[in-house]
Amino acid sequence: LLYATVESKPSEPAHFLAVKKEFKDKSLKQQQKQQDYLEVLLVVRGTKEIEDALSDALLEASEYGDGLAHHGIAKSGKWIVEKHLPTLKTLLKESGRDKIKVDLVGHSLGAGTAAIACMEFNASTDFVEATSVGFGCPALLNKDLAEKQKDTITTIINDSDCVPRMSGATVCNLLLDVMSFDFREMALNDVDIFMHVVDRNMPNTALSESKRAEMLGWLKDQMKNMDGDLQKARDQKRVDLELYPPGKCIHFFRDGVGFSATYVPNDFFRELDLQRTMVDDHLIPPGYNKTFVELMRTYLNDSKFVFRHDINSLRAEKPENKKK
């Protein structure tokens, strides 16, 4: 372990940097020395503190390379590279290798930061070969730039995970879709069911069929005034999307029996998938960890399979309240 911090600042996420340990076995050690590169791991934490949220909040698309990128996350990725490039140069010199292979990994904000850092390493140095694997990466790059990263960046997205689909454009379009949705028939049906439930549980106040029909007719007349507002929302032009998840995208999804996975295009995540699991799917314990456990149980045909680590032990313990 070369470097580690668990504290974040705006555009400076928590992360750690480690070098692959030398093998103790002489034959393997000799094989490792024959490699012309040094293996380095850089892991970036996702959103946890208010400082991380500030980086997330800078979600406008700004110029980046020959395209666009999430402004806050682009700053974070550049900072990571600037911070550790001198260390990597020193490692290269001391190891006697020709190159350094950097594997970047992250979740959420960390996934986006790792992706930008991967691009920066590959574009700005001739001795670093970087690849990145991100889980739940936010909408990060414009479509053309996102597709160009398929050889070096892999993005894994869990079912209805809302973060890769969330941007200013998708939120605005979702609001317009909600405003243009004609819910009136369903509302009338709900009111009718409610009146029947009241009649069944409060027989002394039961309404006659004619009275019930009169009330529903009155409500229907009142809702006719919504025609103009609904049409206005339908006619409102939707906002064009600017940012998408980067690189090669793998989508894990519930198939009705368990989980399946497939490669999908970057613009597959162009709109929010309104599901009750859309937030949990983004988190680690109830989302990604749960999905991978189910996948492994199916693959191994072992319903009791668990990973060797305890995911709950990875959660930072809350500090005890200090006495004043």
Side-chain angles (χ1 to χ4, degrees):
L1 183 65
L2 295 178
Y3 176 88
T5 177
V6 295
E7 296 181 355
S8 298
K9 296 179 181 179
S11 301
E12 297 180 9
H15 64 283
F16 73 80
L17 182 71
V19 178
K20 187 174 182 179
K21 189 176 182 180
E22 293 281 348
F23 292 110
K24 293 182 179 180
D25 186 283
K26 290 184 178 180
S27 61
L28 292 176
K29 186 174 182 180
Q30 185 65 31
Q31 292 176 20
Q32 188 184 45
K33 284 187 175 180
Q34 292 174 355
Q35 294 179 352
D36 61 354
Y37 58 84
L38 185 68
E39 294 181 73
V40 174
L41 177 66
L42 202 166
V43 178
V44 190
R45 192 183 69 190
T47 301
K48 182 182 178 185
E49 302 171 355
I50 185 63
E51 290 81 3
D52 299 321
L54 291 174
S55 299
D56 295 332
L58 298 174
L59 52 73
E60 70 273 14
S62 60
E63 291 186 5
Y64 179 77
D66 57 354
L68 300 171
H70 184 297
H71 182 69
I73 296 178
K75 288 181 63 178
S76 299
K78 291 179 179 179
W79 172 79
I80 288 272
V81 173
E82 292 172 359
K83 181 174 183 60
H84 293 298
L85 200 53
T87 301
L88 294 180
K89 289 180 179 179
T90 301
L91 280 174
L92 183 70
K93 182 178 179 181
E94 293 182 353
S95 67
R97 309 294 171 86
D98 297 327
K99 287 183 178 293
I100 292 181
K101 181 181 178 182
V102 179
D103 295 317
L104 298 106
V105 180
H107 168 256
S108 192
L109 167 65
T113 300
I116 293 291
C118 176
M119 296 170 65
E120 290 288 313
F121 277 130
N122 289 329
S124 61
T125 69
D126 57 359
F127 67 91
V128 174
E129 293 182 358
T131 58
S132 173
V133 176
F135 301 86
C137 182
L140 183 67
L141 304 171
N142 68 289
K143 187 178 179 181
D144 289 342
L145 192 56
E147 292 176 341
K148 290 179 181 178
Q149 313 309 316
K150 291 186 177 182
D151 291 335
T152 56
I153 297 174
T154 300
T155 296
I156 298 170
I157 297 173
N158 185 33
D159 205 17
S160 300
D161 187 344
C162 61
V163 170
R165 300 171 166 89
M166 187 174 291
S167 66
T170 57
V171 172
C172 180
N173 290 340
L174 174 62
L175 291 174
L176 289 173
D177 289 342
V178 171
M179 292 168 61
S180 62
F181 179 70
D182 191 345
F183 63 91
R184 289 175 290 186
E185 285 300 321
M186 287 184 287
L188 289 171
N189 186 55
D190 288 343
V191 172
D192 188 39
I193 292 174
F194 173 73
M195 287 191 292
H196 278 88
V197 171
V198 171
D199 289 349
R200 186 167 59 249
N201 291 278
M202 302 175 65
N204 293 332
T205 60
L207 297 173
S208 63
E209 287 297 328
S210 60
K211 189 65 175 179
R212 185 180 293 110
E214 180 183 345
M215 293 180 64
L216 289 174
W218 175 85
L219 185 59
K220 188 174 184 178
D221 290 339
Q222 296 301 310
M223 290 193 294
K224 287 182 179 179
N225 298 329
M226 297 177 61
D227 288 341
D229 292 335
L230 289 170
Q231 189 60 48
K232 184 177 179 180
R234 293 191 190 101
D235 295 339
Q236 182 71 37
K237 183 181 179 181
R238 279 12 181 201
V239 180
D240 293 331
L241 269 65
E242 295 182 301
L243 303 179
Y244 300 86
K248 182 168 51 182
C249 294
I250 302 175
H251 185 217
F252 290 91
F253 59 94
R254 296 173 177 86
D255 58 13
V257 178
F259 281 88
S260 296
T262 185
Y263 291 102
V264 294
N266 304 76
D267 59 2
F268 180 83
F269 307 99
R270 63 180 300 108
E271 61 183 25
L272 286 164
D273 184 14
L274 289 182
Q275 302 291 335
R276 63 182 181 85
T277 60
M278 60 188 290
V279 174
D280 278 354
D281 283 347
H282 179 68
L283 305 178
I284 293 179
Y288 284 87
N289 183 72
K290 183 177 180 180
T291 296
F292 294 145
V293 167
E294 291 298 323
L295 282 167
M296 291 304 297
R297 287 178 176 178
T298 301
Y299 177 73
L300 298 173
N301 194 26
D302 180 4
S303 61
K304 297 182 180 180
F305 170 84
V306 292
F307 291 111
R308 286 183 295 174
H309 63 267
D310 177 13
I311 192 68
N312 293 317
S313 68
L314 300 179
R315 302 180 187 180
E317 295 181 1
K318 295 182 179 179
E320 296 182 359
N321 294 329
K322 296 181 179 180
K323 295 182 179 180
K324 295 184 179 179

